[in-house]
Amino acid sequence: MALIVQKYGGTSVGSPDRIKNVARRVAKFKAQGHDLVIVVSAMSGETNRLIALAKEIQAQPDPRELDVIVSTGEQVTIGLLAMALKEQGVDAVSYTGAQVKILTDSAHTKARIQHIDDANMRADLTAGKVVIVAGFQGVDAQGNITTLGRGGSDTSGVALAAALKADECQIYTDVDGVYTTDPRVVPEARKLKTITFEEMLELASLGSKILQIRSVEFAGKYNVKLRVLSSFQEEGEGTLITFEEDSTVEKPVISGIAFNRDEARINVIGVPDKPGIAYQILGPVADANIDVDMIIQNVGQDGTTDFSFTVPKGEYPRALKVLEEVKKHVGAREVSGDDKICKVSIVGVGMRSHVGVASTMFRTLAEEGINIQMISTSEIKISVVVDEKYLELAVRVLHKAFGLEQAV
Ligand code: ADP
Ligand code: ASP
Ligand code: MG
């Protein structure tokens, strides 16, 4: 008998029938004698619908009120799942984030979990109940409802598993594990039996939406046993996120490919090449609370240089406005940009011990006539920015070039 936290995503609870299906699955685990805490997302499409609704009233929704609105999606699902379990003769009780007391900071729409009160949940588990918790939401010290950012139910699941010292956290979704890349883009993508925590962290941070980055961070920090599985298959071991590399099998050089459509590029051209210039350009961007990702500064010529960086697509218009001011201030020649770009990244711990990975990547893209606009590397990843119309093509040819479809 074990204590298991299971998280079911939006598609898995997308209709009354699917919620009944989740209840059947939960009832099966319960019948095996396990203690269960179930975290659910809003029904698929619901969070998008609520955000669109809010924007009909206020183009830039007030963050506190937006959290009040979007958190309702998950509240509906917990009630429906509790009812479905009762219908199947299983005692269950639902809690919102605030009812559990998932305490977060006050950063509305991207709050961070600070503490989880496990008293109510433990009492219910001892009484033999299945505990159902709304994902994606918490409450701050002043009692305001907060949410954890898109995909945040993954983080709720892992954080609850950490707080309860659960034996395992199972993320049930609409694919049967973590693949070498998004199987919707590359049908030949291969399911991985295991992936190292470090690689999963990179893939998540580079845009793979299979797990929210913070859920992986939590798993790492608290040593949570984390597994991704399908809610639509009865059997299957999914993908286990491991903390140690398995030295008995030879690992491929590249483990996976991630991509992110949600970036835009900004160029500040002809800025004086002198100390402090990066700060003068990026300081105001940071002050406007806009995240900056890739940054490139060219080697200066004739006393001036060019500066490029990427920001989230949604922040592109605001970032351009900030930069128009900066342009006057620093005396730049031109500010331009492009929001029709994407970032494609290859990830693998094997890169540490292999040379030629970057050149294979660049040659593969060149052979398809795909122009690389920006490059950034770290020990276990290489990212490139390319025109967004080449996203699928780039991911497909790289997948093939690194032999990711072949079993290892
Ligand atoms: P949920 O609603 O269950 O949280 P998400 O839509 O957030 O599900 O995440 C699952 C989706 O992630 C899959 O349907 C798939 O399209 C996408 N995905 C992206 N990268 C990968 C990957 N490397 N392996 C598996 N799925 C991936
Ligand atoms: N419902 C939220 C979203 O769509 C949280 C989640 O599903 O993880 O982003
Ligand atoms: Mg998700």
Side-chain angles (χ1 to χ4, degrees), residues 190-201:
R190 190 170 42 81
K191 186 178 84 70
L192 302 166
K193 257 176 97 120
T194 63
I195 182 163
T196 67
F197 163 74
E198 215 183 347
E199 287 168 320
M200 194 62 242
L201 203 58

Side-chain angles (χ1 to χ4, degrees), residues 7-12 41 151 154 171-175 177-184 203 207-211 257 259:
K7 177 259 172 177
Y8 292 90
T11 316
S12 307
S41 293
D154 297 330
I171 305 284
Y172 286 94
T173 182
D174 53 8
V175 287
V178 179
Y179 279 67
T180 45
T181 192
D182 189 337
R184 286 177 217 285
L203 287 174
S208 271
K209 71 168 184 164
I210 182 81
L211 286 174
I257 303 178
F259 53 84

Side-chain angles (χ1 to χ4, degrees), residues 7 41-42 47 74 136 149-154:
K7 177 259 172 177
S41 293
T47 309
E74 273 71 12
F136 181 53
R150 299 307 304 267
S153 298
D154 297 330

Side-chain angles (χ1 to χ4, degrees), residues 219-408:
K221 189 161 169 198
Y222 297 100
N223 247 298
V224 176
K225 187 172 176 199
L226 182 60
R227 198 184 280 280
V228 176
L229 312 115
S230 164
S231 68
F232 300 124
Q233 290 178 3
E234 280 310 313
E235 302 289 320
E237 53 180 22
T239 302
L240 181 69
I241 321 298
T242 55
F243 290 94
E244 271 153 40
E245 280 175 56
D246 185 351
S247 52
T248 58
V249 289
E250 202 194 335
K251 289 279 288 179
V253 182
I254 299 301
S255 302
I257 303 178
F259 53 84
N260 190 354
R261 293 187 167 92
D262 184 42
E263 294 200 25
R265 175 172 49 80
I266 292 186
N267 310 317
V268 188
I269 297 164
V271 289
D273 191 14
K274 60 179 189 204
I277 197 71
Y279 174 66
Q280 281 180 41
I281 292 173
L282 293 178
V285 178
D287 292 343
N289 215 352
I290 298 171
D291 288 332
V292 170
D293 181 24
M294 269 196 208
I295 304 172
I296 290 178
Q297 184 179 343
N298 285 343
V299 177
Q301 256 183 345
D302 311 326
T304 68
T305 185
D306 302 336
F307 206 86
S308 305
F309 55 94
T310 61
V311 297
K313 233 171 220 168
E315 304 280 21
Y316 179 61
R318 218 157 58 83
L320 276 183
K321 257 195 210 133
V322 172
L323 266 303
E324 278 305 322
E325 285 307 306
V326 171
K327 177 181 154 187
K328 288 180 216 152
H329 185 68
V330 302
R333 195 162 66 239
E334 188 190 325
V335 171
S336 61
D338 187 356
D339 65 350
K340 306 264 179 305
I341 58 145
C342 65
K343 183 171 75 177
V344 177
S345 311
I346 58 175
V347 171
V349 288
M351 260 188 236
R352 284 197 183 113
S353 47
H354 284 79
V355 291
V357 177
S359 69
T360 302
M361 183 182 199
F362 303 153
R363 177 173 35 82
T364 305
L365 295 174
E367 280 167 4
E368 297 296 330
I370 301 172
N371 185 40
I372 300 172
Q373 304 178 8
M374 294 171 94
I375 300 170
S376 103
T377 64
S378 77
E379 210 186 2
I380 66 162
K381 75 117 206 271
I382 304 171
S383 299
V384 294
V385 165
V386 299
D387 189 320
E388 72 175 8
K389 71 173 181 243
Y390 293 127
L391 188 143
E392 273 90 4
L393 177 64
V395 176
R396 266 203 323 271
V397 294
L398 289 171
H399 198 269
K400 196 160 181 12
F402 287 101
L404 290 181
E405 73 284 3
Q406 288 154 23
V408 278

Side-chain angles (χ1 to χ4, degrees), residues 79-152:
L80 291 173
L81 181 59
M83 286 183 197
L85 278 163
K86 285 172 200 276
E87 282 295 301
Q88 294 183 28
V90 178
D91 200 4
V93 55
S94 72
Y95 290 108
T96 64
Q99 285 175 319
V100 170
K101 200 146 184 195
I102 298 179
L103 185 72
T104 70
D105 62 18
S106 304
H108 286 289
T109 76
K110 48 182 173 198
R112 284 180 179 268
I113 297 175
Q114 292 175 332
H115 180 75
I116 295 181
D117 195 345
D118 64 353
N120 286 339
M121 292 184 290
R122 291 234 182 255
D124 290 324
L125 291 173
T126 308
K129 293 181 191 176
V130 170
V131 174
I132 303 168
V133 179
F136 181 53
Q137 55 178 267
V139 64
D140 74 2
Q142 287 73 43
N144 299 298
I145 297 173
T146 55
T147 64
L148 311 177
R150 299 307 304 267

